[in-house]
Amino acid sequence: MVVQQEQQRAQSPGGLQQTVRLYTSPSDMAKEGTEIAEETEQMIDQKEPDNPVSAVVDSKEMRAVLLTGFGGLNKLKVTKKPMPEPQRGEVKIRVKACGLNFLDLMVRQGNIDNPPKTPLVPGFECAGIVESVGENTEGFEIGDRVMAFVNYSAWAEVVCTPLDFVHKIPDDMTFPEAAAFSMNFVAAYMMLFEVANLREGMSVLVHSAGGAVGQAVAQLCSTVPNVTVFGTASPFKHEAIQHSVTHLFDRNLDYVPEVKKISPDGVDIVLDCLCGENTGKGLTLLKPMGTYILYGSSNMVTGETKSFFSFAKSWWQVEKVNPIKLYEENKVIAGFSLLNLLFKQGGCNQVKAAVQKLLSLYEQKKIKPVVDSLWALEEVKEAMQRIHDRGNIGKLILDVEKSPTPLMANDSTETSEAGEEEEEQEEDNDNKERMPFIQ
Ligand SMILES: NC(=O)c1ccc[n+]([C@@H]2O[C@H](COP(=O)([O-])OP(=O)(O)OC[C@H]3O[C@@H](n4cnc5c(N)ncnc54)[C@H](OP(=O)(O)O)[C@@H]3O)[C@@H](O)[C@H]2O)c1
């Protein structure tokens, strides 16, 4: 069981002092969200309700996080949206917890290929209880506890998604754990076991080892005998995660000579979510018959808004790969995108199979999602800031039933009326967002 601690203050490396509940144990997408967006969206006054759920009395409406346009944190707000109803083959889920992924920061910035149109409700995964089902949804009943992938629109009180993307969860899996499970563990599992064929005695290099995917990779590696995991992470995380990684390096140092000191031949698998110069380094470190997988481009995020300079720099630094060299050196280079596999390439059966294997490992207590912290929907900006600040160990969860932590008097996240007034206040709000908020 994840152990919930008292609310406590966490000082993030970027200096934002936060009050969070910490859990320490182990372009066509988005149509649905955009279509139901209404100009008449009403901001929810966050100060009034102690329990935000009680604020929703009209069952024709629900609360959701809305991304009003690409950019900084001030582009996010909580709104009321029309209640979605399940279509044929869809399951309607009363959401309890949503996963916040690094990719959500990139979506917010518009820092992805073929970004969808805004406004949209972000979020790709959630967990909750089946509230109703559309026609042709055999296998699911009202009351089932489930986790689901959603093609955007997950950060809401209610979500409708095709049953192919919905998975029942074990009775003892909490909703935050379930929301921390799908994306990270499925991506980690498919990369390690289906793309790279991880086997006994192999070695793996993973970046952001303390992050949500990083911790899933480390746990899955521990299910195979004698696997050596090399990880990079910010130094302040090392104490907390050293048990999960065989050799841990400061992310600021050049890890290539460090890895070579320990393993002169290099490693069997490189998992690169940073991109840029790490591609060349990863290929250098690869043993013959080794596999390099690119699955993210975190390096493109260098601030709150998209930086064209970082984008260009990252792509400029990517090693030009010569296929003839790959053949001569016996190296495999691969890419992996779970969301594209699911939503664009019809891979839901492959994903289902992976989920079943992962749930079996969970039931055998071999893996367990690491939840970093829980946040109310209204706290999504602070939650994202925690990732920008590199403060998280494991996964951040939006807890739909959590009340927002009371804010300082001049706090920024008090929402304004929509419209021009809000635009005028945005600059002020930016400054206020960086004020510490304490209980
Ligand atoms: N392809 C797929 O299917 C797939 C699926 C899920 C995730 N991903 C990718 O995997 C990576 C990890 O995702 P995640 O959701 O688990 O996030 P995460 O690792 O929890 O992300 C936060 C951590 O990333 C590290 N980081 C690296 N560059 C950063 C930057 N520019 N700004 C802030 N933090 C940075 C920081 O850790 P340190 O400071 O300790 O390094 C930070 O604490 C992301 O690149 C994501 O896009 C890909």
Side-chain angles (χ1 to χ4, degrees):
M1 278 287 289
V2 171
V3 181
Q4 186 177 345
Q5 295 187 328
E6 293 276 305
Q7 284 208 335
Q8 56 181 262
R9 285 186 203 168
Q11 182 76 42
S12 71
L16 181 70
Q17 194 180 37
Q18 302 165 321
T19 303
V20 295
R21 276 154 60 188
L22 287 183
Y23 284 63
T24 54
S25 104
S27 307
D28 49 357
M29 305 208 303
K31 271 192 182 144
E32 188 184 346
T34 53
E35 279 170 11
I36 56 176
E38 286 192 346
E39 287 183 349
T40 51
E41 274 150 0
Q42 210 181 316
M43 297 300 299
I44 293 178
D45 185 343
Q46 298 169 22
K47 292 211 161 168
E48 265 179 24
D50 279 331
N51 176 0
V53 175
S54 64
V56 180
V57 287
D58 185 351
S59 63
K60 291 185 181 147
E61 288 188 326
M62 62 160 188
R63 285 160 59 245
V65 173
L66 192 75
L67 181 66
T68 56
F70 297 121
L73 297 165
N74 62 353
K75 300 292 183 189
L76 292 160
K77 66 180 186 179
V78 176
T79 65
K80 284 182 182 173
K81 308 280 289 177
M83 179 66 71
E85 291 305 334
Q87 306 300 305
R88 190 179 161 80
E90 283 189 349
V91 173
K92 177 177 176 181
I93 301 165
R94 176 65 56 175
V95 177
K96 301 288 182 184
C98 318
L100 200 171
N101 293 294
F102 194 90
L103 182 62
D104 297 311
L105 274 60
M106 300 188 72
V107 168
R108 192 201 72 228
Q109 297 186 337
N111 207 346
I112 54 170
D113 262 355
N114 295 319
K117 286 190 178 130
T118 56
L120 62 88
V121 174
F124 296 106
E125 60 182 340
C126 64
I129 297 172
V130 174
E131 190 163 273
S132 67
V133 292
E135 282 173 42
N136 203 18
T137 46
E138 284 83 21
F140 288 94
E141 287 176 10
I142 294 170
D144 283 345
R145 301 173 78 251
V146 294
M147 60 188 175
F149 292 102
V150 193
N151 195 357
Y152 289 89
S153 298
W155 294 354
E157 286 180 317
V158 177
V159 156
C160 292
T161 192
L163 78 158
D164 278 345
F165 306 140
V166 186
H167 305 274
K168 290 184 191 166
I169 58 172
D171 291 343
D172 61 344
M173 184 182 261
T174 65
F175 290 118
E177 277 185 313
F181 194 77
S182 28
M183 181 92 108
N184 306 143
F185 274 94
V186 173
Y189 182 91
M190 295 188 84
M191 289 192 291
L192 287 172
F193 295 108
E194 298 186 1
V195 182
N197 194 14
L198 177 67
R199 298 182 303 282
E200 183 170 354
M202 283 185 157
S203 52
V204 178
L205 170 70
V206 61
H207 297 290
S208 308
V213 174
Q215 283 294 285
V217 166
Q219 288 187 23
L220 286 169
C221 287
S222 75
T223 67
V224 178
N226 197 23
V227 169
T228 303
V229 181
F230 296 92
T232 70
S234 287
F236 90 96
K237 299 176 187 172
H238 287 203
E239 196 182 336
I241 64 168
Q242 60 190 3
H243 65 280
S244 61
V245 180
T246 326
H247 303 284
L248 203 47
F249 307 114
D250 181 342
R251 70 166 183 88
N252 302 299
L253 300 179
D254 184 0
Y255 50 88
V256 174
E258 300 302 318
V259 173
K260 285 206 163 156
K261 261 187 230 162
I262 299 163
S263 176
D265 294 339
V267 297
D268 296 293
I269 299 170
V270 174
L271 301 178
D272 179 11
C273 63
L274 301 178
C275 201
E277 60 175 337
N278 294 281
T279 307
K281 287 181 175 183
L283 284 170
T284 308
L285 276 175
L286 216 51
K287 284 182 186 174
M289 300 303 286
T291 306
Y292 162 96
I293 307 177
L294 181 69
Y295 69 105
S297 49
S298 299
N299 274 348
M300 289 186 194
V301 176
T302 47
E304 199 182 311
T305 53
K306 179 176 175 176
S307 155
F308 288 95
F309 177 72
S310 309
F311 180 86
K313 188 175 161 207
S314 263
W315 282 111
W316 179 253
Q317 287 175 333
V318 171
E319 187 86 346
K320 308 285 176 294
V321 179
N322 177 349
I324 293 174
K325 220 174 157 199
L326 287 179
Y327 136 75
E328 286 172 350
E329 294 179 354
N330 278 307
K331 290 182 178 177
V332 178
I333 189 162
F336 182 79
S337 162
L338 176 57
L339 294 178
N340 283 353
L341 184 67
L342 263 177
F343 298 129
K344 291 185 174 171
Q345 297 170 324
C348 61
N349 285 337
Q350 281 164 279
V351 171
K352 259 185 203 161
V355 169
Q356 288 319 310
K357 286 175 188 150
L358 285 162
L359 287 175
S360 165
L361 289 172
Y362 177 85
E363 281 169 338
Q364 294 168 51
K365 302 199 183 315
K366 291 187 174 168
I367 57 171
K368 186 171 188 61
V370 178
V371 176
D372 172 76
S373 47
L374 300 183
W375 304 80
L377 291 183
E378 289 78 2
E379 294 169 334
V380 64
K381 298 177 195 181
E382 285 83 358
M384 280 198 174
Q385 183 69 57
R386 184 165 169 82
I387 300 186
H388 279 297
D389 290 342
R390 299 174 178 266
N392 65 301
I393 297 177
K395 181 96 162 196
L396 281 83
I397 298 295
L398 299 178
D399 178 346
V400 175
E401 293 177 357
K402 181 183 180 295
S403 301
T405 302
L407 304 169
M408 286 181 71
N410 57 350
D411 188 276
S412 65
T413 52
E414 180 183 3
T415 48
S416 62
E417 293 301 319
E420 289 173 16
E421 269 180 45
E422 185 190 354
E423 288 301 315
E424 279 169 22
Q425 288 176 17
E426 273 185 7
E427 201 179 329
D428 282 341
N429 284 351
D430 273 356
N431 297 330
K432 289 175 190 168
E433 273 165 15
R434 281 155 188 78
M435 298 288 290
F437 70 108
I438 52 174
Q439 195 166 28

